[in-house]
Amino acid sequence: MRNYPSIFNDVIGPVMRGPSSSHCAASLRIGKLCRDLMDGQMSHILIEFDPHGSLATTHTSQGSDMGLFGGFLGWEAYDERLPASADHIDRAGIKIEIEISPLTASNHPNTYQLTLSSKEECRRMVAISTGGGMIEVISIDGAAVSMAGDYFETLIYCDHPENVTAFLQEAADVDALEWHPGEHSFIEIKAQQFLPGNLCNELLAFTEVHRIKKLAPVLPIMARKNISVPFITCREMLQYNQDKNFSLWELAVEYESERGGITKEAVFEKMRAIFRIMENAIQLGLKGTHYDDRILGSQSLQFKEQLQKKRLPGGDASNTIIMYVSAMMEVKSSMGVIVAAPTAGSCGALPGAIIGMGESLGLSEDEKVKGLLAAGLIGVFIAAHATFAAEVGGCMAETGSGGGMAAAGIVVMANGSLNQSLAAASLALQNSLGLICDPIGNRVEAPCLGRNVMAATNAVACANMALSDYNHLIPLDEVIDTMQKVGNEIHHTLRCTNLGGLSVTAAAKEIEAQLEMQSAPFFKVC
């Protein structure tokens, strides 16, 4: 099946509580699936990361451990207990071991290999974090699978599939059914709901059936059989729109309504709810934030003071945007609730630009929501044909994407044309090609803050260039394809591994050492 991202699954979301990266949300989703696989009963968990991947050097400082522990406990990504998840895991009697060792199950830089044990059983899961909180489970008990967390998944462990499969085909309405042979063979069922209890009881009466496992979806928008979308590239979108004359935000609603199987009104209201979370985070940030395990303090207050005293050169709109981006990033790094847009590390650029510019233009909430929807559709094209993961594409994939999305949204809010919206996104993405990811002190704070600010202000400049009919030369589809190719060429030490760029300067290593002294992990790392 082709990759059909959802705006709310893949692009603008999840709603999460800091701290540093979207790995926290992705890890939590993986942890919840592990919990379901073990029926909530775990006494020992071995977590393995590959030494050549990103997680080997960042799992503690960028929230992966925190997210996994929260998921093992069944929490949501915005749970206020997340900062203390290690203590809660300890109290729950779950022993955690983390090993850094070569993995053969996947060559993805964000690979989790998990061995889950209880008194009753032992299971293994391999999963990857694909960017922006998105995941894919690629193996369960040694069998290759593909689970994104957007189905109700039922696993029927059995010796032989023939009788069970025949029974299910007659008795159950499912989207997909697949047999996975191996040491622990199972039938995987993808459906819109779990098999009813009476049907499960009938299955357990089969002599060849040993266990039934139920893995609940972890994404807000479900997948379904024979899913379709009206378009998946800009070129297809323009062809679709030839006789409709929709703006970019209306096309976003068309796309997401068909992709998610929800009404157009529901699409708009879902984005309104996200807008309000973003707006609330910015206002919280401007009141000042505090968190011990971070590098930067609450700097947006200083910016606000200077802006109010008219001491900052430049336009008020641009300076407001800088302040809002800063406030959002500070809420993230203080464990506040934010929206990954498209990732946690790039959560400031898009809302800062859209909300700041919307206020400058005196727009209503509806008009700002339209800007976010337009931005979301640009993100769909990036998610489908490139990546949001800095570990795969550098910061170009995160703040670069956020800036391209924001540029299109600003044009929509300024009543620009569809072609001008696409031109703005193309220009902004062209300006960020090759941008590396090299967080200082192994925290997603700096230079991430500056790069979010740069992405937001770049979005404003490119929007104004497009509104003035500057020639962007390269169609957006081709720029996105180029993003993917350039990302593959960036050296792995410059893709969020803490092994290159500013990350390995003497000053950065000193900051990292100071932060590590403040908090040592309670679990064993080999």
Side-chain angles (χ1 to χ4, degrees):
M1 186 181 76
R2 296 174 69 185
N3 178 20
Y4 298 146
S6 158
I7 291 175
F8 301 115
N9 286 351
D10 304 75
V11 182
I12 300 180
V15 177
M16 59 178 287
R17 187 174 296 276
S20 295
S21 76
S22 301
H23 286 318
C24 185
S27 300
L28 188 140
R29 287 168 166 172
I30 292 169
K32 290 181 77 171
L33 293 174
C34 288
R35 178 183 175 86
D36 286 352
L37 185 62
M38 296 296 291
D39 302 318
Q41 303 299 314
M42 294 175 285
S43 56
H44 182 275
I45 301 171
L46 171 63
I47 305 166
E48 296 175 86
F49 300 125
D50 193 284
H52 301 295
S54 171
L55 295 169
T57 51
T58 65
H59 65 91
T60 300
S61 59
Q62 294 187 16
S64 297
D65 297 345
M66 183 187 302
L68 277 173
F69 302 160
F72 296 151
L73 294 165
W75 299 349
E76 298 299 331
Y78 45 81
D79 197 295
E80 63 183 12
R81 297 170 292 178
L82 268 177
S85 60
D87 293 334
H88 285 273
I89 277 285
D90 196 31
R91 285 196 219 102
I94 302 174
K95 182 182 179 183
I96 302 289
E97 287 188 71
I98 297 180
E99 290 188 2
I100 311 301
S101 55
L103 304 181
T104 59
S106 167
N107 60 4
H108 194 283
N110 302 329
T111 298
Y112 304 67
Q113 184 164 290
L114 304 124
T115 303
L116 316 160
S117 303
S118 70
K119 293 179 180 179
E120 301 294 326
E121 59 183 328
C122 179
R123 302 282 169 202
R124 296 189 72 182
M125 178 185 290
V126 180
I128 58 176
S129 168
T130 58
M134 296 297 291
I135 65 163
E136 183 184 8
V137 177
I138 61 174
S139 174
I140 290 180
D141 290 336
V145 297
S146 181
M147 297 180 182
D150 53 1
Y151 270 112
F152 287 88
E153 298 268 4
T154 303
L155 309 184
I156 303 171
Y157 283 83
C158 56
D159 295 325
H160 306 288
E162 292 81 8
N163 293 337
V164 178
T165 299
F167 172 78
L168 287 167
Q169 288 172 339
E170 288 289 329
D173 180 18
V174 303
D175 285 26
L177 188 153
E178 186 174 357
W179 167 244
H180 296 287
E183 184 179 351
H184 301 285
S185 301
F186 59 88
I187 296 171
E188 176 192 5
I189 296 172
K190 295 179 184 289
Q192 299 301 302
Q193 58 187 3
F194 287 131
L195 298 179
N198 63 327
L199 196 59
C200 289
N201 290 334
E202 289 185 61
L203 285 165
L204 288 170
F206 281 67
T207 57
E208 58 264 51
V209 173
H210 308 302
R211 294 176 184 270
I212 296 177
K213 301 287 186 177
K214 296 180 178 181
L215 281 62
V218 293
L219 294 181
I221 302 296
M222 295 278 288
R224 63 190 184 281
K225 183 168 53 178
N226 300 323
I227 195 169
S228 65
V229 293
F231 46 79
I232 198 59
T233 66
C234 285
R235 182 177 180 180
E236 291 176 3
M237 179 186 70
L238 292 171
Q239 291 173 341
Y240 173 84
N241 199 42
Q242 279 183 342
D243 59 346
K244 300 176 179 65
N245 198 31
F246 287 146
S247 70
L248 189 60
W249 79 265
E250 291 172 309
L251 288 162
V253 171
E254 291 283 313
Y255 175 92
E256 188 63 24
S257 176
E258 187 168 337
R259 163 60 180 84
I262 57 179
T263 66
K264 295 174 184 178
E265 292 76 13
V267 172
F268 200 92
E269 292 308 312
K270 278 181 176 290
M271 189 59 81
R272 187 193 303 279
I274 286 173
F275 169 83
R276 290 177 176 176
I277 294 169
M278 291 174 167
E279 189 174 49
N280 183 64
I282 288 171
Q283 294 308 313
L284 286 175
L286 292 175
K287 294 177 182 178
T289 57
H290 175 77
Y291 193 65
D292 290 335
D293 187 20
R294 70 177 185 180
I295 301 169
L296 299 172
S298 192
Q299 299 174 122
S300 59
L301 297 182
Q302 301 158 212
F303 197 99
K304 180 180 179 182
E305 181 182 354
Q306 296 303 308
L307 182 60
Q308 290 174 339
K309 292 179 178 179
K310 305 295 183 182
R311 291 179 179 173
L312 299 178
D316 285 347
S318 291
N319 283 327
T320 298
I321 287 169
I322 294 170
M323 181 173 66
Y324 282 7
V325 171
S326 302
M328 179 68 81
M329 295 296 288
E330 289 162 8
V331 168
K332 173 197 70 68
S333 61
S334 64
M335 286 301 297
V337 175
I338 55 98
V339 180
T343 68
S346 61
C347 70
L350 174 59
I354 294 293
I355 296 173
M357 185 56 70
E359 288 185 8
S360 174
L361 296 173
L363 300 180
S364 67
E365 181 179 85
D366 277 4
E367 295 305 307
K368 297 172 195 172
V369 172
K370 291 174 184 178
L372 277 181
L373 282 164
L377 187 53
I378 299 299
V380 163
F381 299 142
I382 297 172
H385 305 291
T387 181
F388 290 136
E391 299 80 5
V392 178
C395 197
M396 163 186 67
E398 297 204 15
T399 59
S401 296
M405 292 160 59
I410 291 171
V411 170
V412 166
M413 293 194 300
N415 293 317
S417 69
L418 174 59
N419 286 334
Q420 287 173 331
S421 299
L422 301 179
S426 174
L427 287 166
L429 291 176
Q430 289 178 44
N431 291 345
S432 64
L433 289 177
L435 187 62
I436 66 171
C437 180
D438 54 345
I440 294 169
N442 212 3
R443 300 295 192 277
V444 185
E445 293 185 68
C448 317
L449 169 59
R451 289 178 185 165
N452 273 262
V453 168
M454 181 177 70
T457 53
N458 177 48
V460 175
C462 292
N464 284 337
M465 291 164 68
L467 288 164
S468 303
D469 290 325
Y470 277 48
N471 192 337
H472 61 290
L473 296 176
I474 312 298
L476 181 59
D477 285 336
E478 294 183 33
V479 178
I480 291 172
D481 288 342
T482 303
M483 282 179 61
Q484 182 71 3
K485 293 173 184 175
V486 171
N488 292 337
E489 293 172 359
I490 297 175
H491 197 270
H492 81 278
T493 60
L494 302 175
R495 296 188 305 205
C496 198
T497 56
N498 199 41
L499 297 173
L502 295 175
S503 301
V504 296
T505 59
K509 287 303 178 185
E510 184 177 343
I511 291 169
E512 186 177 349
Q514 291 172 352
L515 289 168
E516 287 178 352
M517 288 177 62
Q518 294 176 13
S519 58
F522 75 97
F523 44 80
K524 178 183 177 184
V525 180
C526 301

